[in-house]
Amino acid sequence: MKPKILIVEDEEQLAQAIALYLRNAGFLTEIALDGQTALEAVQKEPPDLIVLDLMLPKVDGWEVCHRIRKDSQIPIIMLTARVGEPARIQGLELGADDYLEKPFSLRELVARIQAVLRRSAKAAPRHLVNGALVVDVEKREVRYGHKQIDLTRSEFDLLVTLMQHPGRVFSRLQLLEAIQGTTADSFDRAIDSHIKNLRKKIEPDPKHPQLILTVYGVGYRFRKPPEGGQE
Ligand code: CA
């Protein structure tokens, strides 16, 4: 599925130019013109990577980075003015994954984004755990407590996509792309029937789902892990 990039940049023309270039390079994009809006956007629907300008109105880039790092490892690439070593080091210390000095080429930005996304994918956990539900991504095995659960290929891919981003809302189209990379006319119903089958297999009470939640009019999201970790 296409990675979503949040572009945080107060110069609107530059933000639009970056967004257009990234969309052409195969990414989904969202723009935030100030730090406060950026933090709200991350809360609402966490992106896969953030391109973060440092000089921003309301909440500056340092503060945005600091607050995001408090509870998230979303990769961040900082955009800095021509600054010296100290500012760069400060950015990396705050948890930025990379930085790019302005002015930069959009091609360079795309290359950096791809490199950072590749690194973070490698660091992704082999096991996804949410309460009693445990997914071994490499072996493609699913357990609920001690019970082994057999899933079809589509169901497994759907489940992994949802569990990799607990709380994030996926439209049916995004989910369909995640499992087959193409679009189809009856995609809403195709996803609905996969979700229904998946629920029958992993939900204690499929009629009242606790794990895969419906977001009416949009799609689905996986529940956030219960407080205190594993049950
Ligand atoms: Ca700026």
Side-chain angles (χ1 to χ4, degrees), residues 8-11 14 33 53-57 79 102:
V8 190
E9 168 62 68
D10 58 317
E11 288 166 61
L14 177 58
L33 295 174
D53 184 31
L54 275 185
M55 307 302 267
L56 292 168
L79 302 180
K102 286 181 171 181

Side-chain angles (χ1 to χ4, degrees), residues 22-222:
L22 292 186
R23 282 199 299 276
N24 286 336
F27 297 101
L28 301 173
T29 60
E30 185 178 354
I31 291 174
L33 295 174
D34 62 72
Q36 186 58 41
T37 312
L39 290 168
E40 285 162 13
V42 170
Q43 267 300 325
K44 212 168 125 213
E45 196 193 314
D48 296 295
L49 184 145
I50 302 168
V51 174
L52 178 64
D53 184 31
L54 275 185
M55 307 302 267
L56 292 168
K58 296 187 188 170
V59 184
D60 70 20
W62 304 115
E63 184 61 23
V64 171
C65 186
H66 178 66
R67 288 203 214 162
I68 287 172
R69 274 293 166 271
K70 272 188 184 162
D71 55 11
S72 149
Q73 290 304 312
I74 299 171
I76 296 175
I77 296 179
M78 277 187 172
L79 302 180
T80 68
R82 210 162 260 284
V83 290
E85 195 83 340
R88 254 180 262 152
I89 291 169
Q90 196 187 348
L92 297 174
E93 274 175 0
L94 271 173
D97 296 86
D98 202 353
Y99 68 90
L100 209 49
E101 272 184 14
K102 286 181 171 181
F104 52 87
S105 83
L106 291 169
R107 211 172 132 194
E108 170 83 15
L109 177 62
V110 167
R112 299 287 188 96
I113 288 174
Q114 284 164 342
V116 169
L117 285 176
R118 267 199 305 275
R119 280 211 304 271
S120 75
K122 268 195 199 139
R126 244 165 47 90
H127 289 82
L128 297 167
V129 181
N130 193 302
L133 188 62
V134 179
V135 176
D136 185 321
V137 180
E138 283 180 5
K139 290 188 191 161
R140 297 182 76 85
E141 285 175 0
V142 179
R143 279 185 295 115
Y144 195 96
H146 294 295
K147 205 173 99 193
Q148 178 99 22
I149 295 163
D150 296 314
L151 299 180
T152 65
R153 196 181 70 90
S154 298
E155 289 165 1
F156 183 87
D157 292 343
L158 261 184
L159 181 63
V160 167
T161 300
L162 288 165
M163 282 186 80
Q164 277 170 339
H165 307 275
R168 171 162 163 189
V169 179
F170 290 91
S171 70
R172 291 182 177 83
L173 182 56
Q174 287 172 328
L175 291 174
L176 193 80
E177 284 177 351
I179 63 173
Q180 51 183 218
T182 55
T183 59
D185 288 341
S186 57
F187 67 86
D188 274 14
R189 262 171 298 144
I191 289 294
D192 289 348
S193 82
H194 285 315
I195 292 279
K196 197 173 152 204
N197 292 334
L198 196 44
R199 278 175 171 160
K200 274 190 208 147
K201 293 177 180 180
I202 65 168
E203 295 275 3
D205 178 4
K207 288 221 157 50
H208 302 94
Q210 308 278 308
L211 299 171
I212 299 176
L213 308 174
T214 303
V215 181
Y216 289 99
V218 186
Y220 298 95
R221 68 182 167 85
F222 206 85

